[in-house]
Amino acid sequence: MQETPIQQRPIGIFDSGVGGLSVLKEVRKLLPFESISYFADSGNCPYGSKTREEVLFLARKHIEFLLEQNCKLIVIACNTITAVAIDHFRSEYGIPFIGMEPALKPAALQTRTKKIGVLATENTFNGRLFKQTFEKHANGLDVFIQPGYGLVELVEQGEQDSETARQLLERYLTPMMEKGADTLVLGCTHYPFLKDMIQKVAGNRLAIIDPSDAVAAQTKRILMEYGLISDSRRTPRLNFFTTGEKKMAERFFSLAVSGPFRLEQIGR
Ligand code: DGL
């Protein structure tokens, strides 16, 4: 049997759950001819407060799984896993990895009050990447760091528009707005699902910075640099894998992509 040319192999995207679909959507806009294998570890979600060892162990399993799917490049569509583990994986595996970076730079360029809020998980705030990005781009700014406890769970349950989501966001965003923040960085790939509710709570007082499109652009740049762009005459294949509930995954995946896809539930 002939081997699939490397360009035709899928891009792997994974997250602790469905949050990474916010990144997948942007990747599909920029790279509509790429096949994608998306892995959602909804069965083990959330990762935000897990130990470093747990995150490393789980993320390594997902990468091995995506490599078995023959992926040519892997997007870690999770700020938490990027923060804890991307350095390990880059030196361990022979394919390119794209990760999430806290979008402090665009926020710094955009804020007028020089005060910005960042919403992310505990693990993301504790990682080296956040500290580095902070030192590089937060000079002269007041940065209000707010862990988004409970928000990932709500999104996973499809409850992003619920009263509980509104109350949590009000609790997290009001103090930073009262201190003058005019810009909010979404430092977790689940949070773009809460954009409508954030807008309800904050009105036009907070400009929302979502790095998903920048990550998609970086994915395209790296594919081009490595000569890995897919042949546009082929119909892309979309394969979704979840360790969570199939019904819920189906709802999320069909919202994220129009057209056919294959969904498989796999063991944890
Ligand atoms: N989407 C993940 C992130 O970007 C959520 C982490 C979690 O599971 O708590 O950080």
Side-chain angles (χ1 to χ4, degrees):
M1 223 175 62
Q2 249 191 343
E3 234 187 79
T4 317
I6 188 157
Q7 290 80 359
Q8 300 317 124
R9 286 163 36 184
I11 294 176
I13 303 183
F14 77 101
D15 178 38
S16 61
V18 292
L21 292 173
S22 55
V23 176
L24 173 133
K25 273 199 222 163
E26 298 301 323
V27 169
R28 296 255 306 141
K29 275 190 210 156
L30 273 191
L31 296 160
F33 301 112
E34 296 293 336
S35 292
I36 296 176
S37 294
Y38 182 94
F39 182 90
D41 195 16
S42 296
N44 289 303
C45 194
Y47 280 27
S49 310
K50 285 195 197 305
T51 66
R52 203 184 130 69
E53 288 67 33
E54 282 173 310
V55 174
L56 264 170
F57 172 78
L58 291 167
R60 182 170 282 115
K61 271 207 326 201
H62 313 331
I63 289 170
E64 299 285 344
F65 178 82
L66 289 172
L67 291 177
E68 280 165 28
Q69 307 301 311
N70 223 0
C71 291
K72 59 184 173 186
L73 170 146
I74 291 181
V75 181
I76 304 185
C78 176
N79 294 70
T80 305
I81 300 174
T82 304
V84 173
I86 198 166
D87 295 341
H88 286 269
F89 299 141
R90 281 200 169 123
S91 57
E92 204 170 318
Y93 296 98
I95 60 162
F97 281 90
I98 311 288
M100 305 298 303
E101 203 179 300
L104 291 176
K105 187 179 173 186
L109 293 172
Q110 191 166 322
T111 175
R112 286 163 190 259
T113 58
K114 302 283 171 226
K115 295 177 202 281
I116 64 175
V118 186
L119 202 55
T121 69
E122 257 182 300
N123 271 336
T124 297
F125 286 130
N126 291 335
R128 181 186 58 78
L129 193 62
F130 183 77
K131 293 193 179 100
Q132 260 180 6
T133 319
F134 187 93
E135 273 160 29
K136 211 163 151 194
H137 301 294
N139 226 336
L141 298 180
D142 281 337
V143 180
F144 307 115
I145 280 168
Q146 176 60 59
Y149 300 115
L151 295 175
V152 166
E153 292 89 325
L154 284 177
V155 172
E156 284 290 317
Q157 288 151 15
E159 304 212 341
Q160 57 273 23
D161 300 317
S162 62
E163 177 56 19
T164 316
R166 195 192 61 73
Q167 283 174 9
L168 278 184
L169 284 167
E170 206 160 81
R171 189 184 320 151
Y172 298 152
L173 303 181
T174 305
M176 62 174 81
M177 290 192 289
E178 282 174 357
K179 287 183 201 137
D182 65 350
T183 307
L184 175 70
V185 175
L186 302 185
C188 166
T189 54
H190 280 73
Y191 299 165
F193 288 94
L194 293 157
K195 263 187 199 164
D196 287 349
M197 193 51 94
I198 293 174
Q199 258 148 10
K200 265 191 205 154
V201 169
N204 53 12
R205 284 176 291 169
L206 286 176
I208 300 173
I209 309 270
D210 170 7
S212 313
D213 52 349
V215 172
Q218 176 67 355
T219 304
K220 184 171 181 182
R221 264 196 299 275
I222 296 295
L223 285 178
M224 287 170 73
E225 191 181 312
Y226 283 70
L228 291 174
I229 291 275
S230 148
D231 181 339
S232 59
R233 286 165 304 184
R234 304 239 182 163
T235 314
R237 280 161 293 113
L238 298 175
N239 284 311
F240 293 122
F241 304 92
T242 181
T243 57
E245 238 182 82
K246 203 168 177 179
K247 255 207 188 126
M248 190 58 96
E250 179 120 42
R251 253 173 65 188
F252 274 104
F253 294 139
S254 38
L255 279 179
V257 300
S258 50
F261 62 83
R262 191 176 73 87
L263 170 61
E264 199 181 313
Q265 187 188 30
I266 60 171
R268 297 175 193 184

